[in-house]
Amino acid sequence: MNKTEIYWEKFAREDPYFWVTTNDKFKNIRDTESLNLFFQEGNDYIRNVFQIIRNRLDSNFSPKRALDFGCGAGRVLLPLSDLVDQAVGLDVSPSLLDITDKHIEKKQKKNISLFLSDEKLSQLHGKFDFIHSIYVFQHIPVEQGLSIFWRLINKLSVNGVAMIHFVYESDITILRKFIEWTKSKIPFAIEFANIMNGRKIDTPYMEMYNYPLNMVFRTLHKLNINHIYTRFTKDGCYRGVMLFIQKTSDNDTYIKLPEIP
């Protein structure tokens, strides 16, 4: 396991519902009401995503096979399975997959498959009509993440759509940058920060990576993707973008000048 995989396995064992959302209302979930809210928010979200795709890219969008990359505790994957014939969840944490599997059994879902993720996506076979990933790439080192992004887009079927989220910039002060650098680089700094924040002393540092969008778009250009819709996001100090990407059979990578209205 690489560092990212080790860290997320620790997060999953400590407090899975909190760490996949970093929302205090999902800390140490013990009651059914909070758990139902956790999945209801995922349900509302994925239905909004489908509506955006139908409004902006494909009015007849009705995928049969879908992938949730970085499925975590199944917050989006389970409601996604209600909208497709087959849903696949991929994650680097065995513990998170175990939690998701328990929810699958409890809800008696028969159309969900779970696989452990790696950089080459070696467990994935075939094409997908819909590929989804949110709040995942920001925790993956950029070079590794771009390689995974390339492989994911190659898994899209013709006319399939992917919704991939990237963080591209952080509005943090120089002091905050220094503090974050200290926690990630200086021995025992993260342990001290954990104690000060009331966390377990061995809670790992959650790494955040800003993706250069020129590299993301270069990847799409090389793959002849020419149908894209974007939505910007802002979570605290982190600025991101949701890329709605449609793979078509059209081989032209751009509109020629005389065709531009």
Side-chain angles (χ1 to χ4, degrees):
M1 297 177 74
N2 62 37
K3 185 171 67 172
T4 302
E5 293 166 351
I6 292 170
Y7 284 3
W8 275 100
E9 184 64 6
K10 286 187 176 181
F11 287 135
R13 292 178 180 179
E14 179 179 316
D15 193 350
Y17 303 107
F18 168 71
W19 284 113
V20 299
T21 62
T22 61
N23 191 319
D24 286 344
K25 68 183 175 183
F26 296 123
K27 268 188 176 180
N28 301 310
I29 286 182
R30 296 290 184 270
D31 60 291
T32 302
E33 184 178 352
S34 295
L35 198 56
N36 288 341
L37 178 61
F38 178 83
F39 284 106
Q40 184 58 49
E41 287 188 357
N43 178 71
D44 294 343
Y45 159 79
I46 196 62
R47 290 180 183 276
N48 283 337
V49 166
F50 269 47
Q51 193 57 53
I52 290 170
I53 293 171
R54 289 170 182 148
N55 289 344
R56 299 292 182 172
L57 289 175
D58 184 353
S59 60
N60 297 314
F61 183 66
S62 184
K64 303 300 183 185
R65 190 168 190 248
L67 167 67
D68 188 18
F69 174 72
C71 63
R75 188 186 194 192
V76 173
L77 178 64
L78 268 71
L80 174 60
S81 71
D82 294 331
L83 303 175
V84 298
D85 293 342
Q86 182 187 11
V88 175
L90 205 62
D91 204 278
V92 297
S93 167
S95 291
L96 282 174
L97 291 179
D98 287 343
I99 292 168
T100 302
D101 195 42
K102 288 182 174 64
H103 289 303
I104 291 171
E105 287 188 21
K106 183 178 180 180
K107 295 179 181 294
Q108 298 183 326
K109 298 283 187 178
K110 303 297 184 183
N111 65 333
I112 301 177
S113 302
L114 299 175
F115 297 99
L116 194 63
S117 184
D118 58 48
E119 187 174 347
K120 294 185 177 180
L121 308 181
S122 59
Q123 298 298 309
L124 290 185
H125 302 285
K127 300 286 186 177
F128 295 89
D129 306 311
F130 178 59
I131 295 175
H132 171 269
S133 183
I134 192 165
Y135 302 141
V136 176
F137 279 92
Q138 63 199 49
H139 303 304
I140 302 174
V142 172
E143 184 176 353
Q144 178 186 355
L146 289 173
S147 174
I148 292 172
F149 178 57
W150 177 285
R151 295 174 189 276
L152 282 176
I153 300 304
N154 268 319
K155 288 290 183 180
L156 267 182
S157 60
V158 175
N159 295 321
V161 176
M163 198 303 293
I164 310 293
H165 175 261
F166 294 100
V167 166
Y168 67 88
E169 188 177 63
S170 306
D171 296 336
I172 60 177
T173 63
I174 294 176
L175 176 59
R176 173 76 181 276
K177 287 181 180 179
F178 175 74
I179 292 172
E180 295 301 315
W181 179 87
T182 299
K183 288 193 292 185
S184 65
K185 302 294 184 182
I186 302 300
F188 307 114
I190 185 61
E191 287 83 358
F192 176 76
N194 286 337
I195 293 171
M196 296 299 293
N197 287 292
R199 296 175 182 152
K200 291 182 179 180
I201 193 170
D202 62 344
T203 300
Y205 175 69
M206 180 174 280
E207 297 179 319
M208 293 289 294
Y209 296 96
N210 296 337
Y211 274 69
L213 293 184
N214 62 319
M215 297 295 292
V216 172
F217 284 114
R218 180 184 295 178
T219 297
L220 294 175
H221 202 174
K222 286 182 176 179
L223 292 171
N224 291 328
I225 300 294
N226 58 8
H227 287 194
I228 303 173
Y229 174 70
T230 62
R231 282 281 182 96
F232 289 112
T233 64
K234 192 172 188 301
D235 296 284
C237 63
Y238 299 105
R239 296 183 182 272
V241 62
M242 299 169 72
L243 296 179
F244 294 80
I245 302 158
Q246 185 174 37
K247 184 176 184 178
T248 69
S249 57
D250 185 358
N251 291 323
D252 289 334
T253 57
Y254 57 89
I255 301 174
K256 295 178 175 58
L257 188 60
E259 300 170 353
I260 298 175

